Amino acid sequence: MNAPLDPHGLLPAVQSGELKVMRQSTMGSFDICMRRAGYDIQPGRPRTSGEARCVGTSYHGGLEQYYTARRDGTITTPALVHEQAYACFQAEAGLFDEWDTSKGEAWGRVVEMLDRYFQNGWHWGVDHEVVGVEWEWYLPLSPGWAVKGSIDLLLMGPEGYVGVDHKTAGRMWPAGKELPRKQNQSPMYTWAIWQLLDELPYGFAFDVHTYAGKFDRRWTRPTPSHMQRVIEKAQAMALIFDTIPSDQLPPNPTSNLCSAKYCDHFSVCPMGQAGEAA
């Protein structure tokens, strides 16, 4: 595991609560439902999980083992990849009780996806040096706020730095979902690599792997303008959070993601299960 990239020394203030933290996942929640994002930033709120997150986290864990070994020049095997994935699977499975399929079927899906990833040669080639794996970073955002992220994979290839995010999905992404205007992650993470390493990366890739076995490497090349707009959006969100109590932000119950399966806060939200119970 890499040490956090924290050139401004923000981590102690983040850990003490002096600085609030903005993540790209919080921004994604905000795009879905402002109330959900407000719950996300509340400190100490217990995290829940589900089968989709369990599968995704376990898959990430297996790939982390492989790419860490590549970075460190050590030997890895499919058994070690599975072992790390299973440790993640067990930890995540302890956070929920109801499975969409079953615990055994979900673990089998993780193994199939990991084996398929390597057997089909979908891993990055040796012409791309592994620089960082699950590399956590912190940068200043606005007064009272830091922005934080974790890059699944940072590579140095013939074209320059490349950031990578591993995605698991029930079906393949629609065309254009990876574009910088369609999501916050690639502009924010490309900006972070630029700030931290003082070199504008070549681009960012989403490695999308479906449960059914389809894989697509979706390249995106955010411009400085894209990056600036996403950071300004994050700053505007921070101002909203500073102005309006998180439990008073407007909910979005019309979203198809307003459900116990997709929202960690459905049980406590007055527009979710809590409201239905009342």
Side-chain angles (χ1 to χ4, degrees), residues 34-272:
M34 293 174 68
R35 177 70 67 92
R36 172 172 164 174
Y39 286 132
D40 282 352
I41 66 166
Q42 289 180 353
R45 182 170 289 280
R47 185 171 72 81
T48 61
S49 192
E51 183 171 321
R53 181 176 288 178
C54 187
V55 169
T57 299
S58 307
Y59 176 79
H60 274 72
L63 296 187
E64 179 182 357
Q65 199 284 334
Y66 165 76
Y67 284 109
T68 298
R70 255 183 63 175
R71 182 200 65 193
D72 297 343
T74 57
I75 296 174
T76 190
T77 65
L80 289 173
V81 169
H82 292 170
E83 181 181 324
Q84 179 64 30
Y86 191 66
C88 296
F89 184 87
Q90 288 288 77
E92 201 69 28
L95 298 177
F96 66 102
D97 299 314
E98 295 186 11
W99 295 82
D100 300 330
T101 57
S102 69
K103 186 175 182 179
E105 288 178 82
W107 171 241
R109 176 175 286 171
V110 175
V111 173
E112 289 175 2
M113 293 179 73
L114 287 170
D115 290 349
R116 193 185 299 125
Y117 179 83
F118 295 108
Q119 290 167 3
N120 290 333
W122 293 335
H123 52 293
W124 288 82
V126 294
D127 59 334
H128 284 78
E129 176 190 356
V130 179
V131 177
V133 183
E134 297 293 331
W135 210 341
E136 188 174 84
W137 53 268
Y138 296 83
L139 287 167
L141 179 65
S142 56
W145 286 83
V147 60
K148 172 189 175 182
S150 181
I151 299 171
D152 286 350
L153 188 58
L154 179 63
L155 305 167
M156 171 56 82
E159 63 277 277
Y161 283 115
V162 175
V164 181
D165 197 74
H166 310 301
K167 298 291 187 186
T168 55
R171 57 185 178 182
M172 185 48 65
W173 281 10
K177 184 175 178 178
E178 74 281 1
L179 296 176
R181 294 191 63 206
K182 296 289 186 177
Q183 39 76 35
N184 305 300
Q185 188 171 11
S186 68
M188 176 179 279
Y189 279 24
T190 304
W191 168 81
I193 296 169
W194 187 13
Q195 299 302 305
L196 293 162
L197 302 181
D198 198 29
E199 181 176 329
L200 183 63
Y202 170 77
F204 195 90
F206 293 104
D207 281 1
V208 187
H209 191 166
T210 72
Y211 303 150
K214 293 183 178 180
F215 181 87
D216 197 7
R217 179 158 291 147
R218 297 286 185 92
W219 280 97
T220 172
R221 298 192 65 192
T223 66
S225 179
H226 291 129
M227 300 177 213
Q228 180 182 355
R229 286 199 292 269
V230 167
I231 295 305
E232 288 174 350
K233 176 181 176 180
Q235 291 167 338
M237 285 175 52
L239 181 60
I240 291 171
F241 289 145
D242 284 340
T243 305
I244 304 174
S246 57
D247 59 358
Q248 294 180 24
L249 289 164
N252 183 21
T254 61
S255 169
N256 60 359
L257 301 180
C258 183
S259 71
K261 182 176 180 179
Y262 296 111
C263 180
D264 292 342
H265 316 293
F266 192 73
S267 63
V268 299
C269 179
M271 291 292 179

